[in-house]
Every structure is written in C-alpha cells, then in structure tokens.
Amino acid sequence: LSFVKQPVCKKCGKEIQDAAEEFCGDCTKRRHAFESGLALMNYDETARRSMAWIKYKNKREYLDFYAEAAAEKLRQYENREEWQFDGLVPVPVHPARKRKRGFNQAEVLAKRMGERLEMPVYPEFLYRIRNTEPLKELNPDERLRNLQQAFQADAEAIRASGVQNVLLVDDIYTTGSTAEACTRALLSAGIEKVCFFAVCIGQGR
C-alpha cells in the first residue's frame, strides 16, 4: 500500500511533487466548498484491488485496519482549528445499491472510525436520491453536474442535532465531485463546515 506522504495539497490532501506549491492542479483550477481533506493512501492498483474486495467480496474486516489507520492520522490533526468537528457523516449509496451489496462501505468505515475517535456518526444527515450512471468516463465538471441532484441532506435532522461541523467520510476521492456534491448539500441544510476523509485519493485528471 502506498500511503500518502508530504508534501500534500493544502486543500484536498493529495500528494504533490513540489513543496513550494500549496495546491494540486485540480484545486488550483477549481474552488471546493469543503474546508480541507485528508487521505490515507494513493489510489494505485493495490488500493483499487483492496477497495474492490471490500465492496464486491464482502471483505469488511479490511475496514478495521483502515479505520484504525484513519483514527491515528486524524489524531495528529486534532489540535488544528480547521479539523475540529462534531461528528462523522458517511457518503451514502443509493438504496438499490445498498440492497444489492448488503452494506455501505463508507458507513461501516465511519462507524468504526467513530468508535475509535469516540465521535458520533450521523448517517441520517445525508442520503442519495438518484442512482447515477458510472462516472469513470466523465470529466470533473460533468461528474459534478451528474451528482448535483443525487444527494440530499436532512435539514430537520441536522437542526435537531445541533451539529455544526462534520467530517465527511468516503472510501475513494478522485476528482472530488462526490465530496463537493455532498458538501454543498450539507451546507445548504445548515451545516457550517465540512472537512472530508477518504481512504484512497487519486491524482485527478
């Protein structure tokens, strides 16, 4: 596994080549609504296989390892103001996909991270209302348009909880379109600040 090493983009957390650069090419080109991001591993072939085994071969025990590593990494940032949050919100999958797979890997990961960090998890804050087409062939702008109407946040649940700042949790971050669409939905429903954590992060396009 190729763990993310410094220097990294100050916005999304991707590895960058030059420490003199503050942001990766993607974050230089487009603004993101999330505050900042962190990731464990570079999304290479080994990571892709590991993620596929979790999703399609039910290797949920891998998520224990990733949750432990995630909690360890997040503890290194717990004294930074931008990384203060009240709870974790997993990126949802469409109910049809969840029924087929039997679980949402991001939700399982968030719950296991929450146990280790002693933080509440709020899967009810965000849900998926559209089962989008595969995103692999789309560029970042097309991905975001495709996802814009896919996520909805529950403003009532958010208001009742009193939660203001959350950590969005997902398995893979590539172009950031999913994180962006989820962040916008949460902000529009009353959340004040969103950071994200992903197990794997790609180099974008």
Side-chain angles (χ1 to χ4, degrees):
L1 297 172
S2 168
F3 287 89
V4 171
K5 298 185 291 292
Q6 297 288 341
V8 298
C9 172
K10 288 187 176 176
K11 188 69 172 178
C12 74
K14 279 180 189 170
E15 273 189 18
I16 51 177
Q17 298 300 314
D18 186 355
E21 300 287 331
E22 290 197 330
F23 303 107
C24 69
D26 181 53
C27 292
T28 303
K29 288 197 294 262
R30 52 180 61 82
R31 294 183 65 170
H32 297 298
F34 55 77
E35 187 79 11
S36 49
L38 270 180
L40 269 184
M41 306 185 306
N42 295 302
Y43 191 45
D44 58 11
E45 183 55 32
T46 305
R48 189 198 63 74
R49 201 161 56 241
S50 181
M51 295 298 104
W53 282 345
I54 292 168
K55 286 193 271 198
Y56 308 119
K57 296 189 179 179
N58 201 23
K59 295 284 189 182
R60 281 184 253 188
E61 62 271 25
Y62 291 8
L63 293 170
D64 284 321
F65 168 76
Y66 292 131
E68 189 63 51
E72 195 176 309
K73 184 156 191 169
L74 283 162
R75 285 189 197 107
Q76 297 168 19
Y77 290 79
E78 62 189 357
N79 294 322
R80 298 193 191 180
E81 190 180 339
E82 71 268 30
W83 284 97
Q84 304 298 311
F85 49 88
D86 308 313
L88 287 72
V89 177
V91 169
V93 294
H94 191 271
R97 191 166 294 178
K98 190 173 181 180
R99 278 194 302 273
K100 184 177 178 184
R101 195 177 294 160
F103 65 101
N104 170 11
Q105 70 281 355
E107 186 175 338
V108 175
L109 175 66
K111 286 178 175 173
R112 294 182 186 182
M113 286 170 61
E115 288 165 8
R116 289 161 172 80
L117 294 166
E118 299 182 345
M119 298 286 294
V121 180
Y122 299 99
E124 70 276 12
F125 279 9
L126 197 59
Y127 48 99
R128 194 157 186 152
I129 52 174
R130 255 183 64 207
N131 205 356
T132 50
E133 294 301 311
L135 303 175
K136 288 177 188 168
E137 304 309 317
L138 305 181
N139 68 38
D141 292 328
E142 289 168 336
R143 282 183 178 218
L144 186 56
R145 276 197 300 275
N146 196 33
L147 287 165
Q148 202 68 67
Q149 308 302 319
F151 298 102
Q152 198 162 313
D154 189 331
E156 202 172 305
I158 289 168
R159 198 161 45 246
S161 71
V163 168
Q164 295 179 317
N165 306 318
V166 298
L167 181 70
L168 186 68
V169 176
D170 205 3
D171 55 345
I172 302 164
Y173 177 108
T174 49
T175 63
S177 304
T178 299
E180 182 66 18
C182 289
T183 297
R184 290 183 186 185
L186 288 165
L187 294 174
S188 70
I191 291 293
E192 291 185 8
K193 184 184 78 180
V194 179
C195 291
F196 83 82
F197 176 85
V199 176
C200 306
I201 196 159
Q203 292 308 305
R205 296 187 180 191

